[in-house]
Amino acid sequence: MSSDSPTVLEKRLYTAVATATSGRDGRVKSDDGTLDLAIVPPKAMGGSDKPGTNPEQLFAAGYSACFGSAVSHVARSQKIDPGPVHITAHVTIGKVGEGFGLAVELVADIPKLPRDQAEALLKAAHQVCPYSKATRGNIEVDIRLA
């Protein structure tokens, strides 16, 4: 399979379902009701101080959680105890030509491991993380240790 080919799932494990109403100035709800959030434009994009979240915050939360799980998965498979792993995702939206695009910076804090071992773990996790696979070649993703 070439790197441009879409990933085809061999076995489906879980499907999340959420519905957004009114885009960046509305609500997003999951089908099971556990997620029910106001979506508001950030102040930097013309929004007000109205309480709520935005798609970039939701993407940052999902990517950081998923990447942290990928780090733990790789560590277990390599029989490494990384200790507490903290992943902070910075998701930036900006102009690309006539439209918009995203850039991501993932900052990992893995204080228990030597720097070279932690960096190798991050590199391996980037190969197995579903978010990393989905974004590879599509958006800029920078991964580094804190």
Side-chain angles (χ1 to χ4, degrees):
M1 174 171 24
S2 76
S3 61
D4 293 336
S5 298
T7 300
V8 177
L9 299 177
E10 296 170 10
K11 180 179 179 184
R12 294 175 187 266
L13 302 174
Y14 170 74
T15 300
V17 179
T19 302
T21 304
S22 300
R24 287 184 172 273
D25 203 3
R27 291 199 80 73
V28 65
K29 295 180 184 181
S30 61
D31 64 335
D32 64 2
T34 59
L35 184 71
D36 184 355
L37 300 169
I39 304 296
V40 298
K43 203 164 190 171
M45 293 177 64
S48 65
D49 286 330
K50 203 163 68 172
T53 189
N54 59 65
E56 293 71 35
Q57 287 177 333
L58 294 171
F59 189 73
Y63 202 163
S64 62
C66 190
F67 196 82
S69 290
V71 169
S72 295
H73 169 78
V74 171
R76 277 191 308 276
S77 72
Q78 295 180 0
K79 300 195 180 349
I80 296 171
D81 177 10
V85 174
H86 302 276
I87 307 294
T88 302
H90 302 257
V91 175
T92 302
I93 187 170
K95 294 287 287 176
V96 176
E98 296 296 316
F100 297 91
L102 298 175
V104 175
E105 180 185 27
L106 298 175
V107 181
D109 184 21
I110 312 173
K112 184 175 176 180
L113 295 181
R115 187 165 196 86
D116 60 335
Q117 190 176 30
E119 286 174 344
L121 190 60
L122 293 178
K123 186 175 180 180
H126 190 47
Q127 296 307 306
V128 301
C129 174
Y131 275 66
S132 291
K133 286 182 177 185
T135 59
R136 190 168 290 117
N138 297 312
I139 66 172
E140 177 186 349
V141 177
D142 180 41
I143 300 169
R144 67 177 179 83
L145 282 173

